[in-house]
């Protein structure tokens, strides 16, 4: 079957004709992939940066945001059947530890990630544990269902504290930041403010209805945010860039008592003025990883059903799977929202 993989420990990805799965094992389902989203994580693996070169063991089929139809079910799987449309949670957790057993499986230390630690979904077929499969509502089109995962990251971050009636600052309008704009608006935020240096993504943020979109490098960024929030600063910050400067500026402008939700992953250690911008402000920092299983998935499903136009605005590019290199070029240049790969032409 056709698959996109990290074949060797070096920059780039390649495609190859690889062996199809032998079939799902007990408790697993085999999915014929129709569409898959290209994630920042895939881009890290493409670049072969420090994190990915430590973590990924080539050869590895990549990709973890996807939708498809169940082709075969393994022994003991009764609640899914062939033909059913599913996406999947990419974090495969142990199911036995204290975190898994107390509703916090997204924090399981034994997590293995589809397309990072185990065979991924940029292929005609992928096998996943049935417990990870998510039955997709008939009214959600494939192109939206393919991105349950990153939309779920945004949903998880944006639902840590209630946004209704609050001024929200989102730093970084990459795909997850863009989803967060739609979610913040649909959850009744008072003002949604965004900092984003890429003009392409700043335009998308405006189109999605952000009340203020500013370039973080501009001299009056802070003044503009303060002026929009009656001089108080935002009560909620969603940090979605992974940029240390973005976090420092956000903490400086945030209101006293702010909740600062950290989703973006900095590449190295970050220095903060803890005394002035966290402690004396009485600010609360929240680290966020993955998606709640499966509360976040229900929330995302509802969001997608109610906001198809938001989804379509963020999904800027749809490419045939074999044109994946073009997708990575777009991401490298920052000239895209979400890039989707279409595997339907590839399906057996
Ligand atoms: P992305 O790279 O598409 O988006 C990041 C955006 O931040 C880009 O548009 C970039 O232009 C912008 N940016 C850069 N410097 C900035 C600055 N100083 N101020 C404001 N914006 C700035 O990434 P994404 O896929 O949207 O993911 C967002 C972040 O979340 C990444 O750091 C990613 O690694 C991380 N992530 C975390 C989790 C998690 O579970 N915590 C899951 C997925 C991704
Ligand atoms: Zn566990």
């Amino acid at each position: 079957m056709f698959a996109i993989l990290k074949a060797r420990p070096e920059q780039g990805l390649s495609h190859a004709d690889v062996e199809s799965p032998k079939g799902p094992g007990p408790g697993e389902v085999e999915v014929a992939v129709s569409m898959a989203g290209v994630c920042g994580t895939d881009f890290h693996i493409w670049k072969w940066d420090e994190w990915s070169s430590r973590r990924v063991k080539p050869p590895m089929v990549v990709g973890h945001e996807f939708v498809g139809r169940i082709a075969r079910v393994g022994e003991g799987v009764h609640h899914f059947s062939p033909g059913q449309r599913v996406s999947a949670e990419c974090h495969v957790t142990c199911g036995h530890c204290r975190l898994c057993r107390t509703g916090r499986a997204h924090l399981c230390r034994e997590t293995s990630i589809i397309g990072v630690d185990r065979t991924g979904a940029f292929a005609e077929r992928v096998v996943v544990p049935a417990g990870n499969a998510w039955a997709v509502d008939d009214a959600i089109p494939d192109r939206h269902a393919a991105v349950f995962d990153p939309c779920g990251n945004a949903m998880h971050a944006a639902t840590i504290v209630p946004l209704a009636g609050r001024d929200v600052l989102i730093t970084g309008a990459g795909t997850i930041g863009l989803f967060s704009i739609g979610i913040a608006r649909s959850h009744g935020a008072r003002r949604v403010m965004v900092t984003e240096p890429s003009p392409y993504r700043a335009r998308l943020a405006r189109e999605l209805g952000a009340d203020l979109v500013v370039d973080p490098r501009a001299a009056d960024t802070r003044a503009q945010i303060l002026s929009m929030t009656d001089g108080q600063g935002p009560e909620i910050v969603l940090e979605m860039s992974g940029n240390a400067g973005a976090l420092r500026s956000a903490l400086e402008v945030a209101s006293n008592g702010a909740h600062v939700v950290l989703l973006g992953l900095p590449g190295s250690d970050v220095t903060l003025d803890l005394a002035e911008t966290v402690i004396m402000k009485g600010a609360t920092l929240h680290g966020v990883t993955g998606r709640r299983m499966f509360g976040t998935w229900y929330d995302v499903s509802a969001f997608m059903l109610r906001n198809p136009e938001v989804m379509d605005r963020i999904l800027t590019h749809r490419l045939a799977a074999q044109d994946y290199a073009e997708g990575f070029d777009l991401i490298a240049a920052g000239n895209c929202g979400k890039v989707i790969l279409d595997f339907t032409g590839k399906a057996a």
Side-chain angles (χ1 to χ4, degrees):
M1 64 172 185
F2 173 88
I4 301 167
L5 69 161
K6 176 65 85 180
R8 282 174 296 280
E10 61 192 26
Q11 196 185 51
L13 291 171
S14 55
H15 60 277
D17 190 17
V18 305
E19 212 178 310
S20 302
K22 290 189 176 57
E28 294 180 329
V29 295
E30 180 182 321
V31 182
V33 177
S34 11
M35 287 192 201
V38 183
C39 172
T41 304
D42 304 318
F43 185 60
H44 285 291
I45 298 173
W46 181 86
K47 281 193 290 193
W48 204 235
D49 62 7
E50 197 189 317
W51 168 81
S52 57
S53 58
R54 253 189 288 119
R55 174 102 179 222
V56 180
K57 306 278 174 273
M60 178 66 71
V61 175
V62 298
H64 58 274
E65 306 172 353
F66 71 98
V67 65
R69 284 194 188 272
I70 293 194
R72 292 185 279 184
V73 300
E75 197 188 313
V77 175
H78 304 298
H79 55 293
F80 285 112
S81 43
Q84 204 173 350
R85 213 158 55 101
V86 293
S87 180
E89 166 59 54
C90 71
H91 288 189
V92 179
T93 59
C94 81
H96 303 292
C97 71
R98 185 181 183 128
L99 292 158
C100 282
R101 298 189 67 186
T102 51
R104 296 172 292 167
H106 60 288
L107 302 176
C108 173
R109 292 172 68 161
E110 302 299 320
T111 300
S112 112
I113 303 180
I114 296 169
V116 174
D117 307 309
R118 51 181 286 154
T119 309
F122 284 177
E124 288 173 57
R125 301 282 176 110
V126 62
V127 171
V128 300
N132 283 63
W134 172 262
V136 175
D137 191 295
D138 289 344
I140 298 177
D142 272 356
R143 63 184 186 282
H144 298 175
V147 297
F148 256 98
D149 169 306
C151 194
N153 288 126
M155 182 63 76
H156 187 183
T159 49
I160 292 286
V161 289
L163 302 183
R166 307 294 193 90
D167 288 328
V168 179
L169 171 64
I170 298 170
T171 52
T175 5
I176 299 180
L178 291 168
F179 284 126
S180 305
I181 297 170
I183 294 167
R185 280 174 49 89
S186 82
H187 286 204
R190 177 174 179 256
R191 301 275 191 198
V192 179
M193 295 157 282
V194 176
T195 57
E196 169 57 56
S198 146
Y200 185 100
R201 290 173 175 171
R203 179 179 58 74
L204 279 179
R206 281 188 201 96
E207 287 174 8
L208 287 165
D211 300 289
L212 176 72
V213 182
V214 280
D215 187 324
R217 299 161 298 189
D220 62 345
T221 299
R222 179 187 160 85
Q224 287 200 58
I225 294 170
L226 286 174
S227 132
M228 179 147 277
T229 53
D230 311 319
Q232 298 299 306
E235 300 165 270
I236 296 172
V237 174
L238 305 179
E239 203 311 290
M240 310 235 145
S241 73
N243 183 286
L247 174 58
R248 278 192 288 267
S249 309
L251 285 170
E252 277 165 23
V253 78
S255 123
N256 284 359
H259 288 272
V260 180
V261 181
L262 308 175
L263 180 111
L265 293 168
S268 54
D269 293 358
V270 173
T271 309
L272 299 176
D273 183 347
L274 273 179
E276 286 298 327
T277 67
V278 178
I279 299 166
M280 299 305 282
K281 279 197 174 188
T284 308
L285 307 187
H286 305 262
V288 170
T289 181
R291 296 144 296 278
R292 279 189 232 100
M293 297 172 211
F294 276 81
T296 303
W297 290 74
Y298 286 97
D299 294 347
V300 170
S301 189
F303 176 76
M304 286 184 178
L305 287 165
R306 295 295 297 261
N307 298 278
E309 69 298 336
V310 170
M311 298 302 299
D312 276 332
R313 233 178 245 289
I314 297 170
L315 307 178
T316 54
H317 294 79
R318 183 160 148 188
L319 304 170
Q322 55 271 32
D323 297 331
Y324 62 94
E326 202 183 308
F328 284 94
D329 289 345
L330 282 164
I331 293 171
N335 287 332
C336 56
K338 191 65 173 176
V339 177
I340 302 281
L341 301 178
D342 190 336
F343 284 80
T344 48
K346 286 281 158 209

